[in-house]
């Protein structure tokens, strides 16, 4: 039997749901543990997790199949979310919540004297992403399933996810994350949907029998992409959408060629090389230029996903592409999958025989692009030489797109050669490179930013020329986060309290959470007390985690002041640290009247090659050590750096936070999404006028947000005449802080190690203008401290923050994408 001779499963009967009472779950669990996994003695924790996951997966499967059937039978328009990252974290607890069988499952395990929570903790995080962009993709998938939108995620099945971070003598050490080592019970391999992906070779131009110019990509080195599907369940409905992840492997033919020549070892070597492509996630959260393997990853994702969609298209429509754009839309998560623009053109022309104009019309009507950065240096560029070697045919297509585009520009602005070179797809300065963002813009009908300010600044700055040309293509879609994972799952006690007060419709319709506003008045003191109690419990959970992992004592009566996110200079962990040093200095000076005790928590990973970010981690750890060991300080101030920050740690951190640090240089953070997770869980933000902070401030009002710092326009003004020395001279508090740093107080036996940090802070060319915001930041912190001392006031602010978070659900975000860009018809929501 040939590989392709499998039976189409659409011809099979619908599978029946399995019962999900505790008895049936317990039987299923028992069968998987004993009969399937072969474990009879003792309990190896991972196998408990595996057996339970398979048991639950059985309960997901029939809905998954039903959704698949419904979506593929009907002529439904579908969206495909193309992303190099899906930071989905753990699956088990999320499916239990969605299926509403948490209690039954806990009961089922009781027989074995096993705690559900311990089994859940056995699951390794699926760390298939760096940070915000990857987590956003995961939240989007959750909302689409809950809203029953036919959206399929396409990504890569990295064998090694985001590295694990260890801290050794204060320094970050990276450890590989072999998360698939023991297998993944949630994935379903689909070898029947493999796709062949081409690399190398050359473009062969010829004329077909009708004299039409055609191109074939020949002499290629091929690899095979294999599909692995993950179920994405909707919240308490019948929808289970699909996240399809590609793993690269070698072609059989390729192996065989070498094998026939008697080079068995070389054949296996070739297999190795092909499997390298999806071996590891690149741990940079800003573009890393020129890495060949990364380009291979991007192309493999784009090509395999497009071919998969076209395979499905041809099953129902044959080779007629007239209506293709009516039924398919691709959303590109940043420029990472943008080679898809050239690849769709190539497939349609070279493989399906369409002519340029029809292929271009289809491409432009099906592609949409989301930008996630305002940093010009983070815009992706690929060296032309590399592209020509690795992807010669797609590169030819890019050249042709550029030629036609620049012709249009020349006609519209005659003689403006500067504009032509500014807007060209090819950056001609130095080594020539392809500007991927411009390829995305030219190839898409929709281009969006991820918060109001970000979208506006894109139009006025980075993409100004393109906005002038096609204003109608540009739009904003403010990010969100899913309230299922980030409230209902992560914060069960607060959820129960909210539901008790206003019912539980808020979980599907977060707009309703604003009914909590009715409970901040004096006649609801009882509710406010309960709110406080829940927060204290959540703080204890966080304190336990900090004790376990950092051996630092956090007292829950202190204010928990938290900054967790990737370490980056623009995010200004340093500004936060300067404030910590300032507090330390005040304590040492005895300036402690009306003191608000604080526990300051940092967490986040630095890109392994980012020297300054790694040094910032070291400085945080050194300051923490000095502060925590100083008996004069006592409980007034504690500082900890939580190692290996990830999704499941955030599930404990956000509910236990009082003060959320969102302190980026204004105009630099595209949106931020951690800010929303904290707000939902009743933390109050101290933040700059940046990204989605602005929209959070709008929602809660300035009495419930500690705003500080320069605005984006003021930042740009100040750059021209930034004088950090003057700022230090004018501010005695800052003088003390800089003095402590420069004296080596935090690196007594490690001389000079922080010189680079000190120099960057004092440089008139510091792009992040950290010292410019110091005074206003300290003042905002003083206000926050005073507010915290008034417990009742703080509790009201906390409730209000949660109550105003309705807008920041990805359900709202997805409905906006759908209304303005995708235009899909949701199925009936059961
Ligand atoms: C690109 C090329 C080569 C290697 C790595 C990369 C790369 C990988 C990841 C570049 C960027 C990223 C991630 C960017 C990111 O997470 N951006 C964040 O996106 C969030 C969701 O929109 C926003 O909330 C944040 O403001 C933004 O920083």
């Amino acid at each position: 039997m040939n590989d392709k001779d499998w039976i189409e499963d659409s011809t099979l009967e619908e599978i029946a749901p399995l019962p999900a009472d505790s008895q049936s779950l317990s039987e299923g669990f028992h069968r998987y543990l004993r009969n399937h996994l072969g474990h009879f003695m003792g309990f190896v924790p991972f196998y408990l997790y595996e057996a339970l996951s398979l048991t639950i997966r059985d309960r997901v499967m029939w809905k998954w199949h039903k959704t698949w059937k419904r979506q593929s039978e009907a002529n439904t328009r579908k969206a495909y979310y193309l992303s190099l990252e899906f930071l989905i974290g753990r699956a088990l607890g999320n499916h239990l919540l969605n299926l509403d069988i948490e209690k039954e499952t806990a009961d089922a395990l009781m027989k074995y004297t096993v705690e559900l929570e311990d089994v859940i903790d056995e699951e390794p995080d699926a760390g298939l992403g760096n940070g915000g962009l990857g987590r956003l993709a995961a939240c989007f998938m959750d909302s689409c399933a809950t809203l029953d939108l036919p959206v399929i995620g396409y990504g890569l099945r990295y064998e090694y996810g985001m590295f694990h971070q260890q801290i050794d003598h204060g320094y970050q050490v990276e450890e590989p994350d072999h998360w698939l080592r023991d297998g993944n019970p949630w994935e379903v391999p689909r070898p029947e949907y493999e796709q062949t992906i081409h690399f190398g070779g050359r473009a062969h131009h010829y004329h077909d029998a009708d004299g039409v110019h055609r191109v074939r990509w020949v002499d290629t080195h091929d690899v095979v992409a294999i599909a692995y599907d993950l179920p994405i369940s909707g919240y308490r409905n019948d929808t289970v959408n699909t996240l399809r992840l590609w793993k690269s492997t070698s072609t059989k033919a390729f192996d065989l060629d070498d094998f026939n020549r008697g080079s068995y070892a070389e054949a296996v070597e070739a297999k190795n090389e092909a499997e390298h492509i999806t071996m590891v996630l690149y741990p940079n959260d800003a573009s890393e230029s020129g890495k060949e393997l990364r380009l291979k990853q991007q192309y493999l994702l784009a090509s395999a996903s497009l071919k998969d969609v076209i395979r499905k298209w041809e099953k129902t429509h044959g080779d007629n592409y007239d209506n293709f754009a009516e039924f398919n839309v691709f959303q590109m998560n940043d420029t990472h999958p943008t080679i898809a623009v050239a690849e769709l053109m190539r497939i349609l022309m070279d493989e399906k025989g369409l002519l340029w104009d029809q292929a271009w019309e289809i491409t432009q009507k099906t592609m949409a692009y989301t930008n996630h950065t305002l940093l010009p240096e983070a815009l992706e560029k690929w060296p032309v030489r590399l592209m020509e070697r690795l992807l010669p045919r797609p590169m030819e297509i890019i050249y042709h797109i550029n030629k036609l585009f620049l012709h249009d520009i020349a006609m519209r602005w005659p003689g403006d050669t500067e504009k032509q070179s500014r807007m060209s797809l090819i950056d001609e300065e130095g080594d020539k490179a392809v500007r991927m963002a411009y390829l995305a813009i030219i190839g898409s009908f929709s281009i969006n930013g991820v918060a109001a300010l970000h979208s506006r600044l894109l139009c006025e700055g980075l993409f100004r020329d393109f906005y002038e040309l096609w204003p109608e293509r540009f739009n904003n879609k403010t990010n969100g986060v899913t309230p299922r994972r980030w409230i209902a799952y992560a914060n069960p006690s607060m959820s129960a309290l909210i539901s008790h007060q206003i019912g539980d419709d808020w979980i599907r319709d977060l707009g309703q959470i604003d009914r909590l506003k009715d409970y901040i008045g004096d006649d609801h003191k009882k509710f406010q007390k309960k709110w406080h109690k829940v927060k204290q419990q959540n703080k204890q959970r966080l304190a336990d985690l900090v004790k376990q992992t950092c051996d630092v004592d956090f007292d829950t009566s202190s204010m928990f002041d938290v900054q967790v996110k990737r370490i980056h200079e623009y995010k200004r962990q340093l500004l936060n640290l300067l404030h910590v040093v300032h507090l330390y200095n005040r304590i040492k000076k005895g300036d402690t009247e009306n003191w608000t005790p604080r526990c300051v928590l940092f967490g986040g990973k630095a890109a392994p090659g980012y020297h300054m970010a790694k040094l910032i981690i070291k400085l945080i750890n050194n300051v923490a050590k000095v502060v925590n060991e100083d008996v004069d300080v006592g409980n007034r101030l504690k500082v900890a750096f939580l190692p290996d920050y990830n999704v499941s740690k955030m599930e404990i951190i956000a509910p236990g936070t009082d003060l959320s640090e969102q302190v980026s240089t204004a105009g630099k953070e595209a949106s931020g999404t951690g800010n929303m997770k904290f707000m939902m869980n009743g933390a109050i933000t101290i933040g700059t006028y940046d990204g989605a902070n602005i929209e959070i401030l709008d929602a809660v009002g300035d009495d419930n947000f500690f705003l500080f710092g320069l605005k984006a326009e003021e930042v740009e003004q100040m750059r021209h005449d930034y004088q950090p020395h003057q700022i230090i001279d004018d501010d005695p508090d800052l003088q003390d802080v800089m003095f402590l740093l420069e004296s080596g107080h935090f690196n007594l036996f490690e001389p000079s190690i922080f010189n680079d940090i000190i120099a960057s802070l004092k440089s008139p060319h510091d792009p992040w203008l950290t010292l410019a915001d110091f005074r206003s930041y300290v003042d905002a912190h003083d206000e926050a401290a005073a507010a915290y001392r008034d417990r009742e006031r703080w509790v009201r602010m906390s409730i209000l923050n949660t109550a105003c978070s309705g807008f920041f659900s990805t359900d709202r975000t997805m409905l906006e994408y759908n209304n303005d860009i995708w235009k899909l018809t949701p199925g009936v929501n059961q």
Side-chain angles (χ1 to χ4, degrees):
M1 184 162 124
N2 183 303
D3 264 9
K4 303 274 175 200
D5 284 344
W6 47 277
I7 303 164
E8 279 285 344
D9 47 359
S10 60
T11 61
L12 297 178
E13 296 276 307
E14 225 164 68
I15 57 172
L18 291 176
D21 56 283
S22 74
Q23 180 61 25
S24 317
L25 290 170
S26 165
E27 284 164 18
F29 176 69
H30 189 263
R31 198 167 47 243
Y32 273 115
L33 196 60
R34 306 284 194 240
N35 300 39
H36 183 83
L37 299 175
H39 280 261
F40 301 98
M41 279 184 331
F43 289 140
V44 178
F46 183 82
Y47 293 111
L48 300 180
Y49 155 70
E50 191 176 0
L52 185 61
S53 295
L54 292 168
T55 311
I56 302 307
R57 200 183 89 173
D58 284 349
R59 272 77 189 168
V60 171
M61 195 58 84
W62 70 281
K63 294 189 185 185
W64 200 2
H65 185 244
K66 227 166 68 160
T67 306
W68 179 87
K69 251 188 114 181
R70 185 157 46 84
Q71 292 182 358
S72 59
E73 274 169 4
N75 246 351
T76 40
R77 179 172 163 86
K78 292 191 210 62
Y80 309 97
Y81 199 74
L82 302 183
S83 178
L84 270 284
E85 305 192 7
F86 286 90
L87 190 43
I88 49 191
R90 289 174 174 160
L92 175 57
N94 192 241
H95 286 295
L96 291 178
L97 171 75
N98 287 341
L99 297 179
D100 197 10
I101 54 172
E102 285 165 303
K103 191 178 171 317
E104 290 78 357
T105 307
D107 288 350
L109 291 177
M110 248 163 25
K111 277 227 294 245
Y112 305 87
T113 58
V114 172
E115 289 286 334
L116 175 57
E117 224 177 288
D118 296 337
V119 179
I120 283 177
D121 278 340
E122 277 304 307
E123 179 170 1
D125 268 46
L128 309 183
N130 274 285
L133 167 148
R135 183 55 232 177
L136 185 75
C139 285
F140 280 9
M141 293 302 295
D142 179 273
S143 282
C144 289
T146 296
L147 296 166
D148 197 18
L149 290 170
V151 175
I152 293 160
Y154 278 110
L156 294 181
R157 180 184 178 273
Y158 302 107
E159 189 84 23
Y160 290 83
M162 188 60 201
F163 67 81
H164 288 297
Q165 178 193 57
Q166 286 185 7
I167 301 298
D168 183 8
H169 293 90
Y171 289 103
Q172 165 174 300
V173 177
E174 299 95 25
E175 299 281 334
D177 166 41
H178 198 183
W179 73 293
L180 287 173
R181 198 192 56 184
D182 300 319
N184 177 3
W186 294 101
E187 69 181 12
V188 177
R190 301 274 185 213
E192 65 272 30
Y193 299 137
E194 67 171 38
Q195 292 294 347
T196 303
I197 312 300
H198 309 302
F199 291 103
R202 61 194 170 83
H204 170 65
H205 291 248
Y206 66 101
H207 287 89
D208 68 12
D210 303 325
V212 180
H213 172 247
R214 300 269 176 213
V215 186
R216 244 197 324 259
W217 188 359
V218 296
D219 298 339
T220 52
H221 291 278
D222 294 346
V223 304
V224 168
I226 309 214
Y228 286 76
D229 287 353
L230 292 176
I232 306 290
S233 54
Y235 180 74
R236 298 186 188 178
N237 64 13
D238 274 358
T239 301
V240 177
N241 280 344
T242 299
L243 173 56
R244 177 158 288 179
L245 303 178
W246 300 104
K247 170 196 160 85
S248 63
T249 180
S250 64
T251 60
K252 282 183 188 157
F254 196 80
D255 282 355
L256 213 61
D257 283 350
D258 279 334
F259 190 70
N260 288 340
R261 276 186 252 121
S263 347
Y264 174 74
E266 285 76 1
V268 176
E269 176 106 353
K271 182 173 160 67
N272 240 323
E273 208 178 299
E275 291 189 343
H276 264 134
I277 298 177
T278 54
M279 192 60 71
V280 61
L281 166 78
Y282 274 87
N284 309 295
D285 66 339
S287 75
E288 178 172 299
S289 52
K291 285 282 185 326
E292 180 167 339
L293 196 64
R294 169 77 181 185
L295 182 57
K296 283 186 175 173
Q297 291 183 339
Q298 298 186 346
Y299 180 68
L300 185 128
L301 170 67
S303 183
S305 310
L306 290 171
K307 287 178 173 180
D308 194 47
V309 170
I310 282 173
R311 172 186 62 76
K312 289 187 256 185
W313 175 261
E314 293 200 335
K315 250 174 33 182
T316 41
H317 296 80
D319 58 3
N320 182 349
Y321 284 85
D322 292 349
N323 300 323
F324 185 80
E326 235 176 85
F327 288 99
N328 300 285
V329 54
F330 298 94
Q331 189 73 42
M332 299 184 287
N333 199 17
D334 215 295
T335 51
H336 315 155
T338 290
I339 191 66
V341 171
E343 178 63 2
L344 183 56
M345 288 296 289
R346 189 193 69 77
I347 296 172
L348 292 176
M349 293 190 303
D350 299 1
E351 295 185 5
K352 306 301 170 190
L354 270 58
L355 297 177
W356 181 280
D357 288 346
Q358 197 196 351
W360 185 242
E361 195 184 322
I362 290 173
T363 301
Q364 266 206 336
K365 280 189 180 158
T366 50
M367 294 284 169
Y369 159 55
T370 305
N371 171 283
H372 297 264
T373 187
L374 279 157
L375 308 180
E377 66 270 26
L379 287 186
E380 264 194 303
K381 284 185 203 163
W382 286 107
V384 161
R385 275 166 42 109
L386 174 61
M387 295 276 289
E388 285 178 342
R389 181 162 58 76
L390 213 61
L391 305 170
R393 178 55 183 149
M395 189 61 220
E396 271 189 359
I397 292 170
I398 292 173
Y399 281 135
H400 197 66
I401 294 172
N402 199 34
K403 190 174 153 194
L404 297 177
F405 172 69
L406 290 181
H407 176 267
D408 288 352
I409 297 303
M411 292 304 109
R412 169 111 185 237
W413 289 283
D416 194 345
T417 50
E418 253 188 33
K419 195 186 265 288
Q420 287 170 41
S421 73
R422 262 203 326 266
M423 296 180 81
S424 172
L425 282 179
I426 312 295
D427 181 352
E428 309 266 352
E429 268 186 35
D431 285 340
K432 290 188 187 172
V434 182
R435 295 161 162 159
M436 299 309 279
Y438 294 4
L439 179 60
I441 294 173
I442 297 172
S444 299
F445 67 93
S446 165
I447 300 132
N448 75 280
V450 291
L453 173 73
H454 171 228
S455 298
R456 176 166 72 79
L457 293 177
L458 283 180
C459 296
E460 293 171 359
L462 279 184
F463 299 156
R464 191 178 47 240
D465 291 320
F466 291 92
Y467 177 66
E468 194 186 355
L469 182 61
W470 299 309
E472 70 287 351
R473 290 193 196 180
F474 287 78
N475 63 94
N476 172 247
K477 295 286 166 285
T478 298
N479 284 165
V481 303
T482 169
R484 267 76 60 185
R485 182 174 294 258
W486 296 112
I487 309 179
Y489 178 70
N491 200 341
S493 23
M494 192 182 90
S495 299
L497 177 58
I498 297 172
S499 296
H500 178 76
Q501 216 67 22
I502 63 169
D504 63 5
D505 286 352
W506 60 271
I507 301 176
R508 277 166 194 280
D509 176 12
L510 198 65
Q512 297 210 24
I513 207 156
D514 78 345
R515 291 167 54 195
L516 285 179
K517 286 179 190 159
D518 297 344
Y519 301 96
I520 57 171
D522 283 346
D523 38 346
H524 294 284
K525 283 270 153 65
K526 229 171 107 189
F527 172 74
Q528 292 157 24
K529 279 219 170 79
K530 285 192 207 157
W531 188 271
H532 175 72
K533 200 171 144 210
V534 164
K535 181 57 99 178
Q536 290 304 111
Q537 287 165 1
N538 288 330
K539 285 172 75 171
Q540 189 57 55
R541 234 184 356 148
L542 177 53
D544 293 345
L545 177 69
V546 170
K547 179 69 185 167
Q548 246 174 55
T549 49
C550 317
D551 196 26
V552 176
D553 292 299
F554 274 18
D555 183 326
T556 58
S557 64
S558 303
M559 172 199 265
F560 281 17
D561 174 354
V562 179
Q563 184 173 24
V564 286
K565 51 182 76 241
R566 287 300 289 258
I567 311 293
H568 216 294
E569 288 162 282
Y570 84 80
K571 294 178 187 283
R572 297 200 299 192
Q573 280 90 359
L574 277 179
L575 180 59
N576 186 350
L577 201 63
L578 293 179
H579 174 248
V580 170
V581 173
H582 164 69
L583 291 179
Y584 169 74
N585 183 242
R586 276 184 58 192
I587 296 169
K588 294 304 278 184
K589 287 194 316 189
D591 174 17
T592 57
E593 211 180 313
N594 288 327
W595 191 262
T596 303
R598 278 183 197 255
C599 298
V600 184
L601 184 66
F602 292 88
K605 293 172 184 174
Y610 189 171
H611 164 72
M612 277 302 252
K614 291 181 122 175
L615 201 55
I616 291 168
I617 292 177
K618 171 66 175 163
L619 180 56
I620 295 170
N621 279 300
N622 278 26
V623 169
K625 192 161 169 6
V626 170
V627 169
N628 297 338
E629 285 177 0
D630 192 319
V631 288
D632 298 344
V633 175
N635 263 354
R636 292 192 186 95
L637 181 61
K638 293 283 176 199
V639 185
F641 184 92
L642 187 85
D644 204 35
Y645 171 61
N646 63 10
V647 171
S648 32
K649 295 222 164 83
M650 185 55 160
E651 289 163 8
I652 298 169
I653 296 167
T657 295
D658 294 310
L659 189 64
S660 152
E661 298 269 358
Q662 308 298 336
V663 302
S664 52
T665 309
K668 298 298 168 193
E669 188 70 270
S671 162
T673 44
N675 46 5
M676 303 169 187
K677 293 164 201 165
F678 284 117
M679 176 204 203
M680 282 183 184
N681 283 282
I684 294 125
T685 306
I686 181 162
T688 46
Y689 209 71
D690 198 18
N693 292 355
I694 299 174
E695 288 153 86
I696 290 177
L697 170 64
D698 282 349
V700 299
D702 49 14
D703 288 344
N704 301 290
F705 187 111
F706 302 103
L707 178 67
F708 74 93
L710 299 175
K711 303 228 156 75
E713 283 75 13
E714 296 168 334
V715 164
E716 292 317 315
Q717 271 303 311
M718 167 139 317
R719 268 188 214 299
H720 304 303
D721 187 28
Y722 178 49
Q723 297 182 10
H725 286 94
Q726 193 63 51
I727 297 173
I728 297 170
D729 286 348
D730 292 347
D731 188 332
D733 287 337
L734 183 54
Q735 267 167 44
D736 287 356
V737 168
M738 292 308 292
F739 177 78
L740 275 176
L741 283 178
E742 295 185 278
S743 71
H745 184 65
F746 301 106
N747 50 317
L748 280 180
F749 302 103
E750 301 167 300
S752 313
I753 59 170
F754 298 126
N755 287 1
D756 288 350
I757 288 183
I758 294 163
S760 78
L761 288 172
K762 294 172 77 171
S763 164
H765 308 293
D766 171 17
W768 322 115
L769 284 79
T770 303
L771 300 190
D773 283 341
F774 177 80
R775 186 71 260 158
S776 123
Y777 181 56
V778 169
D779 293 345
H781 259 304
D782 288 346
E783 273 183 54
Y788 189 79
R789 283 198 297 278
D790 181 349
R791 175 188 289 180
E792 292 190 355
R793 174 175 167 212
W794 190 271
V795 171
R796 284 195 303 274
M797 290 170 80
S798 169
I799 297 169
L800 208 78
N801 264 267
T802 302
C804 295
S805 68
F807 180 74
F808 302 100
S809 165
T810 33
D811 297 349
R812 186 270 314 155
T813 312
M814 290 295 86
L815 289 175
E816 286 184 16
Y817 273 83
N818 194 42
N819 288 335
D820 301 345
I821 307 172
W822 302 340
K823 305 193 186 295
L824 313 170
T825 319
V828 187
N829 226 330
Q830 293 90 352

